[in-house]
Amino acid sequence: MASYLGLRGKKLGYFVSFICTTGFVLFGYDQGVMSGIITSDEFNYEIPQTKDNSTMQGFVTAIYEIGCLVGAILVLLIGEKIGRRLSTIIGATIMILGVIIQVTVYRAHSPMTQFVIGRVVMGIGNGMNTSSIPTYQAECSKTKNRGLLICIEGGSIAFGTLISYWLNYGVSFTNTDMVWRFPIAFQIVFCAIVIFGMLLSPESPRWLLARDRDDEATQVIAALNDVAPDSHLVKLEKKVILDSMLAAGEIGENSSKYRDLVTNGKTQHLRRVILGATSQIMQQIGGCNAVIYYFPILMKESIGMGRQMSLIMGGVNMIVYAIFATFSWFVIETTGRRKLFLWGTVGQMLSMLLTFACLIPGTAAAGKGAAAGLFFYIASFGATWLPLPWLYPAEINPLRTRGKANAISTINNWLFNFFVVMITPIMVDRIGWGTYLFFACVNACFIPFIYFFYPETAGRSLEEIDMVFAKGYTEGISYVKAAKELPLLDREMIEGYMVRYGLVGDEEKGRGEKVVEEKVVEEKVE
């Protein structure tokens, strides 16, 4: 029986999750690293265009998101061909190249141009990683802990940002160019872990089956479940995956194409693409990176703190961020996605209103209230909106379009990330407290959209989620209602419901309906 580093079952699952989590720690680290160096004297000396220039500071920070956007587009174009693992390995390798370009910048040799190129290159690598890792994790996870594992991934962003903030503070006392070179170079450590870890991990079994690599997929499924390749569990899981792929057109004559992203019908591909993408868009325009990227600057410009105290407050804020990021780990499957989305939105809205109100008087005492508002915001965001938009697109989309749809979601993440990161320092400079009122109003607009259009996915397998949309379309009801009414299904029942909603051919109709009827009777008896 195949094993990976001698690992099978839970141990192999933990190893895969560790590598995926490291990829998102790297993502979080890079989100926070610029906040502590963009206004430092040593960085401004090497790249003088950034000194006391909020527009250039925003540009140097935000141009990274353009690279991430390009990386996500690359995954959209070639990700399904090369697979989840190779996409991530290539992405991490590109990030190392970007780091080298940045840390070798010197004042006398076009520093601004070289640094910007390095930021874009590194962004391309991170865009590839963040488009591939959630899909890979979702397809290698069991239903009962898929949400938890991807939430741990998302939550690890906060721990990466925490590391970067305190590392920035520590090196700020060196008063040399190590103030900015070392924090940027440190990312290579995470990149190396991701590269070597992925080289030793299995490929997604669903991706292997979609490429007709049946033997490899069988070995991976057996290894992840720690059973023999010819066991009933492996055969059943393969059959359900293949039936779902056949119904969705991932295999067979009606293979997946880009135009499938805009189709509806029983599979509702377009609706699901929109649901996944809007979760990423709302995460960005809700104001998270206005706080994460620029917290020390906000402390300095909006509240009037000195540089060292701003860095300390930024570090403390990231401790709060990391602590609350673990909250979803314990409630994601019991509370569900919808409630966490709604609770987080209300928390973010109230936090921005508090910050806005306390900045109006312009006094030191009121400034403390504004700081409290930003702390409350990052706690609300970390507990809810930080991990959920990485989980939701990876599970809401069917296998036929999952890779492409997840890449589209990530493309939107980086596009709106760039927009927010670019305009935040300008908004703070021009309209002051109005910045926070703007983000409060934006968050208020999220609530009805989530309530009416986001179906619950907690506790359901990836194939089972297909049944939610088939039920809603076939019965002419909202998909939120369909998710509430559809009972939790086991592997055998899924086959029956696929027949009931016309997702498989008539040749399986008798057996499929019989399975459903038998299970329903059993549930009533119990």
Side-chain angles (χ1 to χ4, degrees):
M1 293 188 293
S3 63
Y4 301 84
L5 284 179
L7 303 176
R8 292 177 60 83
K10 287 185 178 180
K11 291 181 179 178
L12 177 57
Y14 293 148
F15 178 75
V16 168
S17 298
F18 170 74
I19 301 305
C20 292
T21 298
T22 302
F24 271 72
V25 170
L26 171 60
F27 170 29
Y29 181 92
D30 200 67
Q31 269 195 317
V33 72
M34 287 300 294
S35 67
I37 67 179
I38 193 68
T39 58
S40 68
D41 292 337
E42 294 80 6
F43 182 80
N44 294 153
Y45 171 79
E46 215 68 65
I47 307 177
Q49 295 92 330
T50 61
K51 185 174 178 62
D52 299 324
N53 188 327
S54 61
T55 301
M56 291 309 298
Q57 289 173 2
F59 174 74
V60 169
T61 304
I63 196 64
Y64 166 77
E65 326 301 341
I66 296 299
C68 294
L69 175 63
V70 173
I73 292 173
L74 283 175
V75 171
L76 175 64
L77 297 175
I78 66 171
E80 289 295 334
K81 295 178 182 178
I82 65 177
R84 324 309 190 201
R85 282 174 64 246
L86 187 55
S87 294
T88 305
I89 292 168
I90 292 173
T93 304
I94 291 174
M95 288 191 77
I96 292 176
L97 177 60
V99 168
I100 294 171
I101 293 173
Q102 289 177 83
V103 298
T104 54
V105 162
Y106 287 95
R107 183 185 176 100
H109 302 284
S110 303
M112 181 70 172
T113 302
Q114 183 176 334
F115 193 80
V116 166
I117 291 173
R119 290 282 289 168
V120 171
V121 171
M122 192 170 66
I124 291 172
N126 190 56
M128 294 184 70
N129 289 352
T130 53
S131 295
S132 305
I133 290 175
T135 303
Y136 175 72
Q137 178 74 84
E139 293 181 350
C140 290
S141 304
K142 295 182 179 179
T143 300
K144 64 180 180 181
N145 60 9
R146 181 186 67 245
L148 170 62
L149 293 176
I150 299 180
C151 275
I152 290 174
E153 266 179 33
S156 66
I157 297 172
F159 288 92
T161 309
L162 171 66
I163 294 169
S164 70
Y165 265 69
W166 283 107
L167 187 62
N168 278 337
Y169 178 69
V171 298
S172 68
F173 294 100
T174 64
N175 297 317
T176 68
D177 59 358
M178 286 296 102
V179 165
W180 66 273
R181 293 190 197 277
F182 181 77
I184 292 175
F186 190 72
Q187 294 170 93
I188 293 177
V189 174
F190 301 117
C191 292
I193 294 173
V194 171
I195 291 170
F196 291 109
M198 279 293 179
L199 285 171
L200 299 171
S201 298
E203 181 55 91
S204 158
R206 288 171 171 83
W207 184 84
L208 290 171
L209 286 171
R211 295 297 172 275
D212 296 324
R213 292 160 64 173
D214 185 87
D215 291 341
E216 292 177 68
T218 301
Q219 293 296 331
V220 171
I221 293 172
L224 289 170
N225 289 280
D226 194 17
V227 295
D230 59 351
S231 70
H232 175 69
L233 177 62
V234 172
K235 292 177 181 177
L236 181 59
E237 185 162 336
K238 275 180 58 181
K239 178 170 177 51
V240 170
I241 293 172
L242 288 168
D243 285 348
S244 177
M245 290 165 64
L246 184 61
E250 181 65 17
I251 57 177
E253 296 181 2
N254 185 28
S255 60
S256 176
K257 298 177 178 63
Y258 283 101
R259 64 171 177 264
D260 296 327
L261 293 168
V262 294
T263 59
N264 285 302
K266 295 175 182 177
T267 53
Q268 288 292 300
H269 291 153
L270 178 59
R271 174 181 289 269
R272 295 160 83 171
V273 170
I274 292 172
L275 288 173
T278 52
S279 70
Q280 291 278 19
I281 293 171
M282 289 190 288
Q283 183 196 58
Q284 295 306 313
I285 63 176
C288 64
N289 283 315
V291 178
I292 296 169
Y293 275 74
Y294 296 118
F295 189 87
I297 296 175
L298 298 178
M299 291 290 103
K300 185 178 179 180
E301 301 295 333
S302 295
I303 301 175
M305 292 183 177
R307 173 171 165 75
Q308 289 298 324
M309 183 54 68
S310 296
L311 287 174
I312 291 173
M313 291 298 290
V316 173
N317 193 38
M318 289 305 106
I319 291 175
V320 173
Y321 184 31
I323 290 172
F324 277 86
T326 64
F327 172 79
S328 63
W329 303 359
F330 304 101
V331 299
I332 185 63
E333 295 299 348
T334 54
T335 302
R337 287 51 158 161
R338 276 171 54 83
K339 287 182 180 178
L340 289 180
F341 270 130
L342 291 168
W343 293 350
T345 301
V346 172
Q348 291 180 176
M349 179 184 68
L350 295 177
S351 301
M352 286 297 185
L353 284 175
L354 176 61
T355 302
F356 146 71
C358 290
L359 285 176
I360 294 176
T363 63
K368 293 178 182 178
L374 293 177
F375 274 94
F376 185 34
Y377 177 93
I378 208 67
S380 299
F381 174 77
T384 56
W385 275 98
L386 171 63
L388 287 173
W390 298 104
L391 167 62
Y392 206 66
E395 63 181 6
I396 200 71
N397 288 291
L399 183 59
R400 179 186 179 96
T401 60
R402 187 172 300 136
K404 297 182 180 72
N406 208 48
I408 288 174
S409 298
T410 310
I411 286 169
N412 280 281
N413 177 285
W414 295 120
L415 185 62
F416 284 88
N417 194 321
F418 171 79
F419 172 72
V420 172
V421 173
M422 185 71 197
I423 68 169
T424 294
I426 301 172
M427 290 177 69
V428 172
D429 183 52
R430 304 286 171 81
I431 63 174
W433 49 258
T435 305
Y436 306 97
L437 177 60
F438 168 78
F439 284 122
C441 293
V442 170
N443 276 279
C445 295
F446 297 167
I447 296 173
F449 188 77
I450 295 167
Y451 184 82
F452 290 110
F453 296 108
Y454 274 45
E456 183 57 70
T457 56
R460 296 193 183 276
S461 68
L462 298 177
E463 290 72 32
E464 197 175 347
I465 294 169
D466 293 339
M467 300 305 105
V468 171
F469 288 92
K471 176 182 175 66
Y473 179 82
T474 303
E475 300 178 9
I477 59 177
S478 78
Y479 300 95
V480 172
K481 184 178 180 181
K484 290 179 180 178
E485 292 183 354
L486 186 71
L488 295 178
L489 311 175
D490 61 24
R491 295 288 184 183
E492 292 178 339
M493 288 185 74
I494 290 172
E495 293 185 40
Y497 273 90
M498 289 175 72
V499 173
R500 172 174 289 185
Y501 294 126
L503 292 174
V504 294
D506 291 337
E507 64 275 7
E508 297 186 40
K509 186 173 180 179
R511 183 176 60 82
E513 288 187 342
K514 185 178 180 181
V515 169
V516 173
E517 290 169 2
E518 289 175 352
K519 291 291 183 179
V520 169
V521 170
E522 289 176 8
E523 289 176 357
K524 288 182 178 179
V525 171
E526 292 175 359

